Amino acid sequence: MILSRFFLLALVLTTTVFAGSLSFLDIDIAVKTKLESKVQLDYPMISKNDIEANILNKDILSDITPKAVGFTYDIPEKSNVLGRTVIPLKLLDSQGHIIETKQVLSEVKAFTLFHKSKRLVKRGEVIDENDLNSVKLNMANYSKRQLMQKEDIIGKETKSSIAKDTIFGSWMIRDVPTIRQGAMVNLIFSENGLHLKAKGRALDDGFIGGFIRVQSSYKANKIIIGEVLNETNVKVSILN
């Protein structure tokens, strides 16, 4: 029977297993199960069936001393176990004392959907579903910022041109601005029953609820900070 103890010490997850008569299979199952659980914790959208964890240097565990009845190893809570990782695995005797340490080399693959561009998408274009090609790839080879849902991409605009077959990343796209730099807007001033309106030009891209610089047509050199209300109106605190 295998008994396991788990300890969360600082930012390290320590796993200790006692198996009575220790074998490679005990270690293989325990380490692979823990690695798979770590991936699911870090990437909840990845199914367990799409995770492959293996020990590459199994030969170092072929000559386990009969005195070893348990083992312990640490996986830092903030670590990324995708790809290859060296795990110091300590073999324990019946008293819990360390007999020796084995450097176990693991490899973890986790497959999930990524979204590629079907064509050259030019800077400033708004992306629609027809621009996307979904493919299942190993997460270990890509950035977490490229792990996106279709809904995170469709309807956004590109910050720069994106070549065909490029995997989309969050840094490549942005929300479509409510007001674009250079657009003519209405400057709205309202305070203590006084309501004024003037024309102005947006000096920045802006989004509803955000603030941008605007230049008043009333006084060309006057730059005012205003709040974007909608596609045409900016609320300002002063007009002159």
Side-chain angles (χ1 to χ4, degrees), residues 1-2 18-22 26 66 68-70:
M1 179 177 68
I2 297 177
F18 288 96
S21 177
L22 191 62
D26 297 324
V69 297

Side-chain angles (χ1 to χ4, degrees), residues 46-104:
I46 298 180
S47 166
K48 183 178 180 180
N49 294 332
D50 289 323
I51 302 171
E52 299 175 6
N54 289 290
I55 294 176
L56 298 183
N57 56 343
K58 297 178 181 180
D59 55 301
I60 70 166
L61 300 173
S62 61
D63 59 344
I64 298 174
T65 173
K67 294 181 180 179
V69 297
F71 58 92
T72 185
Y73 59 94
D74 299 331
I75 296 179
E77 186 185 17
K78 298 295 184 180
S79 66
N80 179 12
V81 297
L82 292 178
R84 295 188 175 188
T85 305
V86 175
I87 303 173
L89 185 139
K90 302 175 180 67
L91 299 180
L92 308 175
D93 63 18
S94 58
Q95 302 301 312
H97 299 141
I98 298 172
I99 301 173
E100 65 175 314
T101 300
K102 302 278 192 180
Q103 302 297 328
V104 173

